[in-house]
Amino acid sequence: MTVETLSRHVWLLLRALSVVTLTLVLWQRAPLPALALPLLLVPTLHALRAPGDPPGPRRHVNPVWVFLADLVSVAVLFTSTTLLFRGLPWQVPAALAAVCLGALVLRWRATEDPTPYPLPPAEPRRHPATVVPAVLMTLAMFAGLIATVTWHPLREHLACTGATSTPGPADWWNTTPAWSSLPEEYPAPEWQRLLDDEVPRSLRHVGASVRAHTLVTDAGVVALSAEDGTALWHLDATYLAGAVVHGDDRSFDEARVVHAGSTVLVEYVYPRTGRDRERPGPLLMAFDDLTGEQVWCRSGIHGVLSGLDSTERFVAWVGEEPTLFDATDGSVVASLDGGPDTPVGPEVEDPRAVIDDGRVLMWEGTRLTTFALETGAELFTLEDVGPGRPESGPRTITSVIASDGTTVVGFDRDHRGRPPSARHAWEYDAEGYLAAYGPDGDLLWDSTGDGVVEEGGPLIGGEPAHGELPARTVFDGHVLVRNPHSDRPAFHGVSLRDGTVTWRLEEEGSPACSASEGTVLDGGRLYRPHSLVTSRGCPSLEDSPVERVFGAGDGMVTWSRHEDGRLLSSLRGAATTP
C-alpha cells in the first residue's frame, strides 16, 4: 500500500468520524442543529478533497484548502469525542491528538502539486507553498486542543455550557393530583401529589421559595410549582454526566444541591487534569428556580450552605476561606474571617455552620463566630465559652440554634463527673451542657449545676433534640432538649428566654417524641411525623400516615403513606384545630 492510498483511507475514516461524533453531540442538546450542521459539513468536506480521495471522481483542489478541511475535521472530532466521553484521563486526549498529528503528517507527504487542469502523470511531490501554512495551522490547532484540557477559563466555559435544564418533568417523575387526609393537628394542605413507584425512594426536599420547591434524588433535580405542585423543570444526572465536559457519573451528588432564595445551586465535581487530576474540581451551577434557566456558573466554589428562609445569600468555600455570596449573580458579598477552613455543608456528617435568624453562625472546636447575613459583618465571637475545667479543658461545641436574636449553643457530653451528693446515676442529670447568648454575645443562661431536672426549675445538662439542618426548631419561645442520661432519658421543653424547664416527659412514655426530624410553622408548633411539640408537651399523633417532614420556606412539605403509594403534600400556616 502506497503512502497516497493510506492517506486517502485514513482521512476518509477521520472525516466520517468527525461528522458522526458531531451529530451525536448536537443530538444531546438540540435535534434541529444535529441534522442541519452535519448536512452542511458533509458536502463541504466532500468538495475539499485531495486528488484521488474517495468517494467520487478525482478533484484538483489547492492543498491549503484541503489542509483547512482536515484541520476542521480534526478539531470537530477531538472536541466531540471529549464531550461524548467525559471524565477521560489526560492520556486519552493526548493519544487522540497524536493520532491526528500523525494523520496530518501523512497527508502532507501524500499531497500532490495542485493543478487547475490535467497534466501528464508525474512523480507526486510536496508543494512548497503548503509547508508554512500547514505548520502554522497545525500548531494553532493543537494549541486549541491542549487548551480544552489544560486552560482553566476554557475548561470552565465548556463545562458550564453543557449544564442546561429541561422544561417539564423528568422521566422518573410521574405524579398525579390526589387528596388524602393528614392528622387533624396538621394545617390543611395547599396541594397534594401522588408519587408513582418510579419515583426514587431517596427523594428529599432541599428548599423552597414563594415560587417553587426543589426536590433532589440520585437521579437528578426537579422543581415544582409552589401553587399546585406541577413540575416546572428538571436537571437529569445522567444527562449531566454525558453533557458536562470532564464530568462522570460520580460528579453529581444529591447532598450538594441547595435552594437559596430564587436560585437553585448545584455543585458538580469533575476530575482535574495534570498532577492533581485525582483531586475533585468543583463547578457551581446556578439555575432560576422558576424557569430552570442557568443564571451563572463558576468553578472553584465548594461546600455550599444555605438557610431555610428565602434569602438570596449563601455561604461557600473558595479554597480554605469561607465566603458569603449573592445567589442572584454569584458575586462575593464578604469574606467570613474566623470561620472553619474546611467545608461544612449538608453532606458533612457533623455540621459546623447554621444560616438562620438573619445570621451566619460558624464554629470549630470551642470557637463560635456570628456574622450578619446581609453584609457579612462580624457580630460577635465566643472562645472557650464552656465551663472551665482545669483537669480536662473547655467543652467542644456540637450544635447551635439561632432564633429571635438568641443563640443557644450545645456542648459535648463530657462532664466533670458525678458529684459526691449524687450516689446513684439517676440522681445526676448534668450530662451535656447548653448556654444561651444575646444579640451581642452576652450570656443569658446556661445549664450548669448538679441535681435532677424538675418542671419549673432550671435546666441542668442536656443537648438539643433536633435533627438534620436546616430546619426551624424554636417553638412558641421554647427549644426541645433531651437529657442523654442512659438510665432515664427524658425530653424537656425549655424556655428560650431564661432556660426554665416548662415541661418534662420521660422518653419511655413518648417514643414518638424521640424522632429528630421536623419543622416549626408560624413559630408555634414543632411538627414531627408522629408527634406535635408545643409549649405544653409532646403528644403523640395516633395512626399518623406521615413518614417525613421538611421545612419549606415559611411552610413545610410532608411524605405520607397512601393506599396507592406515597403522597407529597405542601402545607402552610397554622392548624385549624387547637
Side-chain angles (χ1 to χ4, degrees), residues 305 317 340 342-354 361-364 397-400 466-470:
L305 181 69
W317 272 252
T342 55
V344 295
E347 73 277 8
V348 179
E349 293 183 359
D350 184 19
R352 290 170 289 152
V354 171
L361 302 100
M362 312 183 76
W363 65 93
E364 189 168 24
I397 299 175
T398 58
S399 61
V400 175
H466 57 71
E468 181 181 355
L469 297 175

Side-chain angles (χ1 to χ4, degrees), residues 290-302:
L290 184 63
T291 65
E293 178 184 359
Q294 186 187 111
V295 292
W296 57 268
C297 180
R298 196 163 303 159
S299 63
I301 304 175
H302 59 114

Side-chain angles (χ1 to χ4, degrees), residues 514-533:
S514 61
S516 59
E517 188 178 275
T519 190
V520 176
L521 287 188
D522 294 334
R525 299 178 174 187
L526 173 58
Y527 291 88
R528 289 184 163 179
H530 300 285
S531 63
L532 182 65
V533 187

Side-chain angles (χ1 to χ4, degrees), residues 157-477:
H157 175 73
L158 291 174
C160 292
T161 301
T164 57
S165 64
T166 305
D171 294 338
W172 46 267
W173 181 257
N174 295 314
T175 66
T176 55
W179 192 259
S180 180
S181 60
L182 297 176
E184 62 179 7
E185 292 83 358
Y186 276 52
E190 292 185 316
W191 52 262
Q192 293 180 309
R193 309 285 297 189
L194 183 63
L195 307 184
D196 191 85
D197 292 337
E198 296 181 2
V199 179
R201 303 291 298 184
S202 60
L203 185 70
R204 67 186 184 91
H205 189 279
V206 297
S209 67
V210 295
R211 308 188 304 175
H213 293 264
T214 301
L215 292 87
V216 64
T217 179
D218 54 2
V221 181
V222 62
L224 308 181
S225 169
E227 295 182 357
D228 55 11
T230 56
L232 300 173
W233 57 272
H234 71 276
L235 192 65
D236 189 73
T238 304
Y239 164 78
L240 282 179
V244 178
V245 177
H246 309 299
D248 56 31
D249 55 1
R250 295 174 299 175
S251 296
F252 175 81
D253 189 338
E254 56 185 297
R256 294 192 291 262
V257 179
V258 299
H259 195 145
S262 60
T263 307
V264 178
L265 302 170
V266 179
E267 185 180 335
Y268 195 77
V269 178
Y270 55 90
R272 291 179 178 175
T273 59
R275 291 179 300 175
D276 59 349
R277 65 186 178 87
E278 299 300 331
R279 187 156 54 95
L283 180 74
L284 187 61
M285 304 172 287
F287 301 90
D288 184 275
D289 68 347
L290 184 63
T291 65
E293 178 184 359
Q294 186 187 111
V295 292
W296 57 268
C297 180
R298 196 163 303 159
S299 63
I301 304 175
H302 59 114
V304 180
L305 181 69
S306 68
L308 190 62
D309 294 326
S310 298
T311 175
E312 301 292 349
R313 295 285 189 267
F314 71 92
V315 174
W317 272 252
V318 179
E320 296 183 352
E321 182 178 4
T323 306
L324 182 65
F325 290 89
D326 189 323
T328 57
D329 56 9
S331 60
V332 175
V333 177
S335 295
L336 305 180
D337 298 330
D341 57 4
T342 55
V344 295
E347 73 277 8
V348 179
E349 293 183 359
D350 184 19
R352 290 170 289 152
V354 171
I355 298 178
D356 202 358
D357 195 34
R359 294 178 287 159
V360 180
L361 302 100
M362 312 183 76
W363 65 93
E364 189 168 24
T366 62
R367 176 187 175 93
L368 170 68
T369 307
T370 303
F371 305 90
L373 182 59
E374 288 301 315
T375 64
E378 182 177 332
L379 301 178
F380 63 84
T381 297
L382 302 172
E383 293 189 73
D384 297 336
V385 291
R389 295 169 299 161
E391 68 280 4
S392 58
R395 298 175 188 263
T396 301
I397 299 175
T398 58
S399 61
V400 175
I401 299 174
S403 178
D404 297 330
T406 302
T407 304
V408 179
V409 183
F411 299 88
D412 58 19
R413 297 186 182 184
D414 187 22
H415 57 83
R416 290 169 289 178
R418 189 187 309 161
S421 58
R423 292 175 293 179
H424 302 284
W426 58 82
E427 296 177 342
Y428 179 72
D429 278 347
E431 287 269 0
Y433 172 73
L434 275 75
Y437 301 89
D440 299 325
D442 51 315
L443 181 65
L444 300 180
W445 55 267
D446 60 43
S447 64
T448 56
D450 298 328
V452 178
V453 177
E454 297 180 356
E455 290 186 6
L459 176 67
I460 301 174
E463 62 182 11
H466 57 71
E468 181 181 355
L469 297 175
R472 290 191 175 87
T473 56
V474 177
F475 55 95
D476 196 17

